[in-house]
Amino acid sequence: AQSVTQLGSHVSVSEGALVLLRCNYSSSVPPYLFWYVQYPNQGLQLLLKYTSAATLVKGINGFEAEFKKSETSFHLTKPSAHMSDAAEYFCAVSDRDSSASKIIFGSGTRLSIRP
Amino acid sequence: KAGVTQTPRYLIKTRGQQVTLSCSPISGHRSVSWYQQTPGQGLQFLFEYFSETQRNKGNFPGRFSGRQFSNSRSEMNVSTLELGDSALYLCASTPEGLAGGSTDTQYFGPGTRLTVL
């Protein structure tokens, strides 16, 4: 069965520092992978998704993630953190089918930004 | 272009009752997915509808059901409510589904907060 593991339920970085949120997946075949963000008291937003051959995926708000099959990882990074990045981030996985809709979410990582 | 709308935004029900939640996707989007978010179980996929057909279903009991109309609006119904059904229910729409290219992104509604007493 597919699953994702997000390492660290809470990550704190200084403003301007590198953001690295870790995600490892478990799947028998390379799946589709996603990162979502949820700002306080708001709905979800899709940050980026890996569905094709390009292993480095660029998303919104300066975030990007790299699919590494050998490490079964899909870590989310941003070179320079901004106060507005404080939110909950979810990594997710789905089967490579026509809809990719049966998504399994990780438990989330809360990102805090220190001034 | 209007975003995804969900009604009602807040709902309070008692155990044993049933509830219907509504989701209006972005115009032109044919895929609507539903999710449940709780502090204990986190985010879980409920089901996806595409062109009025359920295309995928998560691991929820039969008390949870849904449908989609010809205008792509979707409803989900929960019968015989239990305390554990208290959650934020989110819906999201995409043009065709999440398997598409980078332009085929997904848009979420603000959610319906259901409280079961």
Side-chain angles (χ1 to χ4, degrees):
Chain A
Q2 290 182 332
S3 65
V4 288
T5 302
Q6 292 186 241
L7 301 173
S9 59
H10 182 208
V11 170
S12 180
V13 302
S14 298
E15 191 174 17
L18 170 73
V19 174
L20 171 60
L21 303 184
R22 300 178 188 273
C23 172
N24 287 89
Y25 69 90
S26 172
S27 177
S28 56
V29 296
Y32 290 144
L33 292 159
F34 311 87
W35 275 100
Y36 290 86
V37 61
Q38 188 170 34
Y39 297 102
N41 299 316
Q42 293 188 29
L44 274 177
Q45 186 175 8
L46 179 63
L47 267 180
L48 51 81
K49 61 180 181 178
Y50 166 72
T51 60
S52 62
T55 57
L56 182 62
V57 183
K58 294 187 183 298
I60 60 173
N61 302 337
F63 284 93
E64 63 181 36
E66 187 172 8
F67 171 70
K68 291 187 176 180
K69 183 179 177 181
S70 61
E71 300 176 9
T72 61
S73 69
F74 191 58
H75 302 330
L76 182 71
T77 60
K78 181 175 181 178
S80 177
H82 192 272
M83 296 299 291
S84 60
D85 295 326
E88 186 97 21
Y89 292 80
F90 297 92
C91 181
V93 63
S94 75
D95 283 327
R96 280 188 172 268
D97 59 27
S98 60
S99 73
S101 63
K102 192 169 183 178
I103 291 177
I104 297 170
F105 291 89
S107 55
T109 297
R110 184 163 62 90
L111 176 65
S112 300
I113 311 296
R114 302 188 300 270
Chain B
K1 179 156 53 167
V4 178
T5 58
Q6 291 186 246
T7 56
R9 291 292 311 279
Y10 302 91
L11 206 49
I12 299 176
K13 292 286 188 178
T14 56
R15 278 181 300 174
Q17 287 187 308
Q18 75 160 17
V19 67
T20 299
L21 311 182
S22 180
C23 173
S24 293
I26 290 174
S27 177
H29 285 195
R30 295 195 292 164
S31 168
V32 174
S33 293
W34 288 88
Y35 306 88
Q36 182 198 64
Q37 186 174 27
T38 62
Q41 298 298 316
L43 273 162
Q44 297 184 84
F45 167 74
L46 277 156
F47 28 64
E48 183 217 7
Y49 284 87
F50 180 78
S51 293
E52 302 179 63
T53 301
Q54 187 180 85
R55 186 159 67 171
N56 240 323
K57 187 178 190 302
N59 299 323
F60 278 81
R63 299 186 297 109
F64 292 80
S65 63
R67 60 178 174 169
Q68 187 179 34
F69 301 94
S70 58
N71 62 358
S72 293
R73 188 177 70 87
S74 178
E75 290 181 346
M76 68 164 281
N77 184 276
V78 187
S79 63
T80 319
L81 283 166
E82 301 177 359
L83 295 178
D85 298 333
S86 295
L88 179 66
Y89 290 89
L90 295 164
C91 84
S93 73
T94 70
E96 301 284 333
L98 279 170
S102 60
T103 58
D104 202 359
T105 192
Q106 185 183 37
Y107 298 89
F108 282 83
T112 293
R113 174 77 62 185
L114 172 65
T115 301
V116 182
L117 303 176

